[in-house]
């Protein structure tokens, strides 16, 4: 660890803090339908969209209508993406003449991008045409992110309103999230990316002659080894700056290149890398301010932000420490030498970013439900790789994905105030609303659904040949690869321990259902909570009310998040990364 590295990390938290208020205040104005500087341009477009689609702008929905609209819209969008993938060989903008995506892989990918997971069992530059990338994948990047923001706003309305049966209009919320928040920001960001070297074109791929031809050996499925001399290198092209902007800002994570944000065409230099880290958490951080503004308790919004920031800082500290120390078996033959690996563990990391920005990126991408990577998590040390895994296991509520982080943290807030209410002997209250049995049941259901999906599928895969044949490492690291895969997909993250081959029928199909259940079964309970809270009266604050604006609340919220996650996943972690760490110090690696 270096002073320069800590300065970069401190600069990130400072920039994120400074962005929180303006971003959050702007979103509060947008969804309260207050006037903004974009209204003269966007209001006519918004009205036209409603007129063409038949949306009644002033009509609001109860939580059940809101949920049904969200599910139907997602189902239709998923079917459209699946159709695009299966017919891309006949569609335009396919200069490389890529064939149709195979059925199981197309199903997995359609589920992945519909759920904002963006898990990729394929290499984008050798599988997807420009049309599929733009009209299929990028479209879903916008829609799934806009939907996440809309759902968060609906939950905030439920908290803020009194004796109301409605929580907003799904179609209006998604439209405003797209027009006022995502599209303008991505337009500016994409232009900045282009200025820094991220490519944006529709050209066929280029071919370059190698200065030093390479001789390689490959082994086929029949076991035969062939030798060939490689003299040319194919250099992929494409409209990628525009996709990179929404990939990061919308916490999608699915990149057009297999190397994702480690590829120089997606992430050319430390400036774009720093921008991407900030962008991943900017909207999630801003929504905490929106929560405070729309509920009339700004101090509560900052208390929630503080809990998220402290957890984020703890995560990046552990990753940075673990990667800086590296593998103790690599410290040299001198028994008196330092136990630290010289230079730390740079395996799987880009030299142009360094260890600090790679550690920060890995932490941020799993704090959010993003999944973009600028280094390979599979190459991290056991404890360094455990932190991204734990970040997803606790529900990615540390700022979280756009919207998903906020409605995820509200679930833990419900549990925290319920516990606090039991401790002071009064009915739990949250911002003047009584938390009753129904609300707690919905919060518990959200937590249980996630862990049930992850642990059941991991248990099946770890004892079945169709699961274990895909792992590249034996022992505890193989368990970590499987556990990470199902955790990432259920958490709608999309990052992976890349040693796992996910492009098999089992992994494509089970992963698709993992993502669909992890997205929609974890959205419905928070919407039910929103509907329940919206109908409640405001209860006057008394001496027995537990305040949700103090450092004590922040501490309790962090404790509940960690305890619930530890009780749920610690046994699995102890058999995976923790055991691997102990064995590494005993001289055994996997």
């Amino acid at each position: 660890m270096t002073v320069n590295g800590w300065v970069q990390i401190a600069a990130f938290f400072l920039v994120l803090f400074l962005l929180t208020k303006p971003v959050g205040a702007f979103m509060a104005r947008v969804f309260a339908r207050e006037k903004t500087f974009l209204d003269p341009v966007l209001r006519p477009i918004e009205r036209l969209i409603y007129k063409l689609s038949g949306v009644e702008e002033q009509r609001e929905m109860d939580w059940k209508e809101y949920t049904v609209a969200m599910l139907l819209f997602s189902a239709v969008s998923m079917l459209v993406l699946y159709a695009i993938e299966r017919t891309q060989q006949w569609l335009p903008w396919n200069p490389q003449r890529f064939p149709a995506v195979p059925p199981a892989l197309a199903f997995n990918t359609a589920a992945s991008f519909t759920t904002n997971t963006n898990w990729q069992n394929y290499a984008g530059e050798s599988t997807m045409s420009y049309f599929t990338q733009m009209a299929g994948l990028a479209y879903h990047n916008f829609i799934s992110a806009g939907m996440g923001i809309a759902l968060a706003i609906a939950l905030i309305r439920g908290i803020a309103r009194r004796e109301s049966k409605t929580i907003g209009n799904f179609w209006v919320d998604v439209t405003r999230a797209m027009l006022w928040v995502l599209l303008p920001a991505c337009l500016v960001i994409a232009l900045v990316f282009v200025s820094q070297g991220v490519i944006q074109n529709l050209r066929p791929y280029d071919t370059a002659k190698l200065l030093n031809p390479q001789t390689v050996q490959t082994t086929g499925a029949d076991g035969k080894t062939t030798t060939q001399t490689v003299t040319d290198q194919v250099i992929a092209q494409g409209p990628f700056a525009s996709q990179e902007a929404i990939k990061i800002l919308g916490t999608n994570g699915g990149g057009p290149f297999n190397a994702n944000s480690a590829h120089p065409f997606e992430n050319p230099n430390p400036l774009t890398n720093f921008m991407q880290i900030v962008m991943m958490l900017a909207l999630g951080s801003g929504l905490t301010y929106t929560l405070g503004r729309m509920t009339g308790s700004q101090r509560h919004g900052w208390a929630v932000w503080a809990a998220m920031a402290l957890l984020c800082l703890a995560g990046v500290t552990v990753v940075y420490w673990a990667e800086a120390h590296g593998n103790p078996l690599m410290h040299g033959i001198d028994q008196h030498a330092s136990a630290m690996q010289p230079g730390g563990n740079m395996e799987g990391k880009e030299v142009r970013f360094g260890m600090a920005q790679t550690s920060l990126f890995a932490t941020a991408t799993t704090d959010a439900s993003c999944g973009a990577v600028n280094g390979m998590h599979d190459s991290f040390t056991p404890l360094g790789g455990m932190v991204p895994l734990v970040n997803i296991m606790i529900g990615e509520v540390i700022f979280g994905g756009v919207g998903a982080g906020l409605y995820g943290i509200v679930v833990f807030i419900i549990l925290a105030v319920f516990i606090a209410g039991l401790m002071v002997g009064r009915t739990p209250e949250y911002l003047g609303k009584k938390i009753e049995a129904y609300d707690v049941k919905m919060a518990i259901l959200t937590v249980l659904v996630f862990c049930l999906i992850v642990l059941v599928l991991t248990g099946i895969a770890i004892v079945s040949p169709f699961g274990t044949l895909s792992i590249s490492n034996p022992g505890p690291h193989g368990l970590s690869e499987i556990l990470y895969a199902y955790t990432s997909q259920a958490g709608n993250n999309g990052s992976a321990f890349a040693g796992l081959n996910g492009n098999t029928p089992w992994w494509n199909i089970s992963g698709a259902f993992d993502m669909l259940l992890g997205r929609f079964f974890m959205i419905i309970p928070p919407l039910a909570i929103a509907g329940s809270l919206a109908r409640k009266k405001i209860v006057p604050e008394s001496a027995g009310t537990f305040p949700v604006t103090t450092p004590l609340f922040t501490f309790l919220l962090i404790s509940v998040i960690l305890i619930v996650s530890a009780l749920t996943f610690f046994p699995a972690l102890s058999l995976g990364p923790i055991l691997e760490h102990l064995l590494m110090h005993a001289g055994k690696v996997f």
Side-chain angles (χ1 to χ4, degrees):
M1 294 189 287
T2 65
V3 173
N4 179 54
W6 284 113
V7 168
Q8 294 178 57
I9 293 170
F12 160 75
F13 279 100
L14 177 61
V15 171
L16 187 66
F17 173 75
L18 294 175
L19 284 174
T20 299
K21 181 176 179 178
V23 171
F26 178 75
M27 286 193 285
R29 293 181 66 85
V30 167
F31 292 102
R33 303 199 189 184
E34 298 175 7
K35 190 173 182 179
T36 72
F37 69 96
L38 294 174
D39 283 22
V41 175
L42 297 181
R43 274 296 287 164
I45 299 174
E46 182 187 26
R47 293 193 189 98
L48 178 62
I49 291 173
Y50 297 151
K51 184 176 181 180
L52 293 176
S53 58
V55 171
E56 298 178 35
E57 184 178 358
Q58 302 303 322
R59 180 184 177 275
E60 292 207 344
M61 305 173 175
D62 62 25
W63 79 268
K64 294 178 182 178
E65 291 178 284
Y66 205 99
T67 302
V68 170
M70 176 269 297
L71 292 174
L72 290 175
F73 183 55
S74 299
V76 172
S77 297
M78 180 175 169
L79 289 173
V80 170
L81 177 55
Y82 181 82
I84 290 174
E85 292 180 81
R86 296 290 294 137
T87 60
Q88 74 171 6
Q89 74 271 36
W90 298 308
L91 298 174
W93 292 328
N94 185 9
Q96 302 308 119
R97 302 182 184 277
F98 290 138
V101 181
L105 179 58
F107 176 58
N108 181 277
T109 305
S112 176
F113 280 78
T114 300
T115 58
N116 197 247
T117 308
N118 307 90
W119 175 274
Q120 295 173 284
N121 283 333
Y122 62 90
E125 65 268 41
S126 60
T127 308
M128 300 296 179
S129 69
Y130 295 161
F131 185 88
T132 303
Q133 294 273 13
M134 293 186 294
L137 306 185
Y139 160 81
H140 275 76
N141 285 349
F142 278 100
I143 290 299
S144 61
M147 189 185 303
I149 297 174
L151 295 169
I153 296 298
L155 181 54
I156 293 173
R157 288 198 194 102
I159 298 168
R161 290 182 174 180
R162 307 179 183 185
E163 301 179 75
S164 172
K165 295 182 180 180
T166 61
I167 57 173
N169 184 307
F170 172 78
W171 307 111
V172 173
D173 289 342
V174 170
T175 300
R176 294 186 75 84
M178 296 278 290
L179 288 180
W180 268 263
V181 180
L182 296 175
L183 282 168
C186 287
L187 177 62
V188 175
I189 292 166
L191 293 174
V192 174
F193 279 166
V194 169
S195 75
Q196 295 300 307
V198 181
I199 62 173
Q200 180 75 15
N201 59 57
L202 292 172
R203 291 169 43 191
Y205 291 1
D206 291 333
T207 302
K209 289 290 183 181
L210 296 180
L211 295 176
N212 297 305
Q214 303 291 315
T215 300
V216 297
Q217 289 185 333
T218 57
T219 303
D222 56 0
K224 294 182 179 180
T225 300
T226 59
T227 301
Q228 59 180 346
T229 300
V230 179
T231 60
D232 299 323
Q233 178 181 358
V234 176
I235 301 174
Q237 302 293 318
F240 298 147
S242 55
Q243 293 179 69
E244 192 69 18
I246 187 58
K247 161 197 155 183
I248 297 295
L249 185 68
T251 61
N252 296 283
F257 290 97
N258 191 38
N260 209 274
S261 286
H263 197 291
F265 281 0
E266 287 196 43
N267 193 6
N269 55 54
L271 174 60
T272 58
N273 191 68
F274 187 82
M275 286 178 59
Q276 291 189 13
I277 299 172
V278 172
M279 287 162 53
M280 280 189 282
L281 301 185
L283 295 181
S285 180
L287 280 168
T288 62
Y289 191 88
T290 305
L291 170 66
R293 174 69 67 87
M294 293 182 70
T295 58
S297 180
Q298 202 64 71
R299 290 179 61 195
H300 172 62
W302 284 118
V304 174
W305 187 92
M308 294 176 170
L310 288 172
L311 287 169
C312 182
L313 178 60
V316 71
T317 300
V318 174
V319 177
Y320 192 21
W321 172 84
E323 297 308 301
H325 280 72
N327 189 330
L329 303 180
M330 301 287 288
H331 67 82
I333 60 174
D334 183 359
Q335 61 179 348
H336 300 294
S338 169
M340 292 178 60
Q341 179 182 350
N345 175 35
M346 282 298 294
E347 179 187 342
K349 298 177 180 64
E350 281 293 311
V351 177
R352 68 185 190 274
F353 303 141
M355 193 167 296
Q357 285 206 27
T358 303
S359 300
L360 186 56
F361 200 110
T363 305
T365 196
T366 48
D367 285 342
S369 59
C370 186
V373 294
N374 73 346
M376 296 301 106
H377 295 180
D378 196 45
S379 296
F380 283 18
T381 61
L383 293 185
M386 185 179 73
V387 171
L389 179 56
V390 169
N391 285 343
I392 308 172
M393 286 176 169
I394 64 178
E396 294 166 310
V397 296
I398 309 172
F399 299 111
V402 285
L406 186 72
Y407 59 73
I409 199 76
V410 168
V411 167
F412 283 105
I413 292 172
I414 297 292
L415 296 178
V417 298
F418 174 71
I419 294 170
L422 294 179
M423 289 191 294
V424 299
R426 288 179 56 85
T427 302
E429 298 171 11
Y430 175 44
L431 295 177
K433 303 287 185 73
K434 286 186 177 181
I435 301 301
E436 298 172 309
Y438 178 83
D439 308 307
V440 177
K441 288 177 182 178
M442 291 298 103
I444 290 295
L445 181 61
T446 306
V447 175
L448 291 179
V449 164
F450 177 70
C451 67
L452 183 66
I453 298 168
V454 172
L455 295 178
V456 168
L457 287 174
T458 299
I460 294 172
I462 203 67
V463 298
S464 306
F466 48 74
T468 56
L469 286 175
S470 288
I471 61 176
S472 59
N473 300 86
H477 194 79
L479 171 61
S480 296
E481 290 178 351
I482 291 177
L483 181 63
Y484 197 112
Y486 284 122
T487 303
S488 177
Q489 291 173 99
N492 304 135
N493 184 271
S495 64
F497 273 11
L500 182 81
N501 172 28
N503 193 14
T504 67
W506 162 257
W507 285 100
N508 276 323
I509 295 172
S510 68
F513 284 106
D514 189 17
M515 291 181 280
L516 292 169
L517 293 173
R519 175 71 164 182
F520 298 112
F521 275 55
M522 291 178 66
I523 281 177
I524 296 174
L527 285 174
I529 292 173
S532 173
L533 294 179
R535 292 191 297 269
K536 297 179 187 287
K537 299 178 180 180
I538 295 294
V539 178
E541 187 174 325
S542 68
T545 301
F546 182 76
V548 293
T549 59
T550 63
L552 179 60
F553 165 75
T554 298
F555 173 77
L556 178 63
L557 179 58
I558 292 173
S559 300
V560 169
I561 291 170
L562 294 179
I563 290 171
V564 169
S565 301
L567 290 175
T568 304
F569 290 107
F570 181 76
L573 292 171
S574 65
L575 295 174
I578 295 174
L579 177 59
E580 185 182 1
H581 173 76
L582 296 175
L583 290 174
M584 181 179 70
H585 280 270
K588 188 173 183 179
V589 293
F590 299 91

